[in-house]
Amino acid sequence: MDVATGAAGCGPAPVSYGFYQDGYGGALAADAFAEALPAALRCVGALTGVRDVRDEWDEGDADAWRRAVCAAADAFAEYGEGRVGGFSIGSFSVTNYRDEGTTGSEVAREAALAELAGTGLCFAGVR
């Protein structure tokens, strides 16, 4: 599966699974990537003001934008969109604490911003 589909299967997604694996070096399975992709696109869209690569961008900016989506997808796949924490069932416990009070959305935002650093793509004005 090289090309994930967009919302409700309506055409190709802005970041393909092939780019996620080869360009970004991601390790999620195709279905996990596809499941996390909508939240990642919302996250990066909020940071940049766009939800797809723009024709006027050079290849470096386009790749940085795609890598930001991939980084956010990894975070959402690991933490979800809610609060980052852990749980216990009997003697079995799972923890994925990062910081107290942190949400998966905040972790994804930080990961995406790290990929966008130095590009000028982060939205900082009025639309």
Side-chain angles (χ1 to χ4, degrees), residues 4 32 35 38 66 69 71 74 80 89 109 113 121:
E35 186 176 323
R66 287 183 193 104
V69 171
D74 275 348
I89 301 172
R109 185 175 194 271
L113 283 171
L121 293 178

Side-chain angles (χ1 to χ4, degrees), residues 31-58:
D31 58 339
F33 175 71
E35 186 176 323
L37 189 57
L41 290 170
R42 286 192 306 273
C43 175
V44 175
L47 293 172
T48 63
V50 296
R51 293 202 178 192
D52 203 344
V53 172
R54 300 293 173 135
D55 291 336
E56 62 269 16
W57 291 349
D58 64 26

Side-chain angles (χ1 to χ4, degrees), residues 12-109:
V15 179
S16 70
Y17 184 66
F19 179 86
Y20 171 74
Q21 283 187 308
D22 301 330
Y24 178 72
L28 293 175
D31 58 339
F33 175 71
E35 186 176 323
L37 189 57
L41 290 170
R42 286 192 306 273
C43 175
V44 175
L47 293 172
T48 63
V50 296
R51 293 202 178 192
D52 203 344
V53 172
R54 300 293 173 135
D55 291 336
E56 62 269 16
W57 291 349
D58 64 26
E59 196 56 35
D61 284 351
D63 279 350
W65 187 89
R66 287 183 193 104
R67 290 180 61 79
V69 171
C70 293
D74 275 348
F76 284 123
E78 182 172 350
Y79 298 108
E81 294 185 61
R83 192 173 182 109
V84 173
F87 64 91
S88 296
I89 301 172
S91 62
F92 177 78
S93 67
V94 174
T95 57
N96 56 357
Y97 282 103
R98 210 182 109 112
D99 290 322
E100 289 186 38
T102 299
T103 66
S105 294
E106 290 168 339
V107 174
R109 185 175 194 271

